[in-house]
């Protein structure tokens, strides 16, 4: 199952597609067409042979009439896979053929050595169809400590924290990140907050939770940390995490049948709930969360 570190950037891009346009513009000097809004695109790519390929994420940037002006394929690569030379081309070609619009491939590689290998893969294509992937690493993403920048671009502030999660100075982003959450309002802020929790390694995650507890209080804290009921702290933590799963699904507009809602809220297995919370970030249906 994909990790929180893998899924967090994709979930963040879907919550705020402006993060993708910022990356293309500021890291790769790409002129993004004027657009009115952006929406997720189904990530399954089917071919004549009975097999389905699945990209990490796809977005369509559309004009006011909801006509696509740019498609973007999102990939997070934490390890090496030589087959990506072929499947990445398939994702891009399928989108361009289906929608008759230019498609960009944006690839986040947390490991710089892995990123170099992928860049090298496409330097000499020979007779093959050339592909220009936009590959970047945490080193290219700025450490967002400026409060005004964080307020103007909350998704970038969150992504900055995730990218620099293993850095010694990651705590420097906490004040700006907290202010970014304030601009979103409580309901949206909880979703962003949970993405931070899923994307940070354990030690900085604990420091971030401590910072929010002592500095901000419970205003934007995850539902996981709010719930304590009559059955005691453990039950309250489980119910809180169940509500966090439902909050993420609700924020993403994923319908939750009553039976699935009851199953999530009745679960007391924290490990299972944690898996469901991570699945909820990218799941297409509520059933995918509990049955995946």
């Amino acid at each position: 199952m994909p990790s929180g570190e893998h899924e967090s950037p994709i979930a963040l891009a879907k919550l705020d597609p402006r993060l993708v346009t910022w990356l293309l513009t500021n890291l790769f000097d790409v002129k993004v067409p004027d657009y009115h809004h952006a929406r997720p695109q189904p990530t399954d790519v089917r071919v004549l042979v009975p097999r389905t390929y699945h990209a990490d994420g796809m977005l369509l940037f559309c004009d006011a009439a909801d006509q696509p002006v740019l498609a973007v394929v999102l990939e997070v690569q934490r390890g090496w896979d030589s087959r990506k030379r072929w499947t990445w081309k398939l994702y891009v070609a399928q989108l361009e053929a289906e929608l008759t619009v230019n498609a960009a491939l944006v690839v986040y590689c947390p490991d710089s050595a892995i990123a170099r290998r992928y860049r090298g893969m496409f330097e000499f294509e020979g007779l093959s169809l050339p592909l220009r992937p936009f590959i970047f690493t945490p080193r290219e993403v700025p450490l967002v400590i400026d409060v005004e920048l964080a307020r103007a671009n909350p998704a970038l502030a969150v992504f900055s924290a995730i990218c620099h999660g293993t850095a010694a100075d990651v705590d420097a982003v906490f004040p700006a990140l907290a202010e970014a959450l304030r601009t979103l309002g409580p309901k949206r802020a909880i979703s962003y907050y949970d993405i931070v929790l899923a994307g940070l390694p354990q030690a900085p995650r604990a420091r971030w939770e401590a910072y929010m507890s002592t500095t901000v209080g419970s205003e934007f804290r995850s539902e996981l940390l709010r719930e304590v009921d009559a059955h005691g702290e453990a039950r309250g933590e489980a119910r809180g995490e169940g509500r966090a799963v439902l909050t993420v699904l609700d924020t993403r507009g994923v319908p939750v049948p009553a039976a699935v809602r009851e199953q999530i809220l009745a679960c007391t297995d924290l490990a299972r709930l944690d898996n469901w919370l991570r699945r909820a970030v990218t799941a297409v249906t509520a059933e995918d969360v509990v049955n995946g």
Side-chain angles (χ1 to χ4, degrees):
M1 176 184 162
S3 65
E5 291 85 353
H6 178 280
E7 298 299 319
S8 295
I10 304 299
L12 192 56
K14 291 178 179 178
L15 278 175
D16 191 346
R18 292 179 302 166
L19 175 63
V20 177
T21 62
W22 187 94
L23 294 169
L24 286 170
T25 302
N26 291 275
L27 301 189
F28 302 105
D29 199 27
V30 171
K31 171 133 179 58
V32 175
D34 292 334
Y35 68 95
H36 180 267
H37 62 278
R39 53 184 167 87
Q41 170 77 358
T43 56
D44 290 343
V45 177
R46 293 179 174 84
V47 294
L48 292 178
V49 177
R51 179 175 180 181
T52 298
Y53 297 88
H54 186 81
D56 288 335
M58 291 183 179
L59 289 173
L60 295 183
F61 293 85
C62 306
D63 60 20
D66 202 37
Q67 294 303 304
V69 296
L70 174 69
V72 176
V73 179
L74 304 169
E75 285 280 290
V76 176
Q77 287 304 128
R78 300 175 58 81
W80 172 253
D81 185 349
S82 61
R83 295 170 297 179
K84 293 299 181 179
R85 179 180 180 187
W86 318 113
T87 55
W88 283 352
K89 291 180 181 180
L90 181 62
Y91 302 155
V92 171
Q94 189 270 342
L95 274 177
E96 293 189 336
E98 177 186 351
L99 303 172
T100 61
V101 67
N102 288 331
L105 171 63
V106 179
V107 183
Y108 172 54
C109 288
D111 187 293
S112 296
I114 296 294
R116 285 194 296 272
R117 292 188 69 184
Y118 280 116
R119 291 183 183 123
M121 178 187 288
F122 296 97
E123 286 182 357
F124 305 102
E125 291 281 49
L127 296 177
S128 183
L129 177 72
L131 177 68
R132 182 193 176 194
F134 298 107
I135 301 173
F136 70 102
T137 71
R139 299 177 67 177
E140 283 81 61
V141 179
L143 191 70
V144 177
I145 59 176
D146 181 83
V147 172
E148 293 306 316
L149 175 58
R151 286 172 176 160
N153 198 335
L156 178 61
V158 172
F159 191 49
S160 173
I162 293 171
C163 286
H164 298 279
T166 60
D169 56 352
V170 65
D171 294 38
V173 310
F174 292 172
L177 183 55
E179 288 302 314
L181 296 183
R182 289 184 184 278
T183 69
L184 298 169
K187 186 173 181 179
R188 290 184 66 204
I190 289 172
S191 296
Y192 283 71
Y193 182 86
D194 285 335
I195 289 175
V196 177
L197 294 184
L200 285 177
Q202 183 175 359
R205 168 179 170 163
R207 296 197 303 273
W208 164 244
E209 291 177 300
Y211 175 85
M212 291 295 283
S213 296
T214 58
T215 306
V216 180
S218 62
E219 183 178 3
F220 297 133
R221 295 178 67 199
S222 169
E223 293 290 343
L224 168 64
L225 303 175
R226 292 184 176 194
E227 289 287 332
V228 176
D229 63 16
H231 296 288
E233 184 175 354
R235 173 60 183 164
E237 185 176 359
R239 187 169 179 82
E241 187 154 355
R243 290 189 181 277
V245 173
L246 296 174
T247 297
V248 172
L249 291 172
D250 178 64
T251 302
R252 295 181 55 232
V254 178
V256 183
V260 176
R261 181 179 297 272
E262 291 177 6
Q263 181 181 355
I264 291 172
L265 292 177
C267 181
T268 58
D269 186 330
L270 290 176
R272 178 176 297 177
L273 285 164
D274 185 63
N275 284 338
W276 288 354
L277 179 59
R278 295 174 188 274
R279 289 176 187 165
V281 172
T282 56
V284 177
T285 68
E287 288 80 1
D288 291 339
V289 173
V290 296
N291 298 327

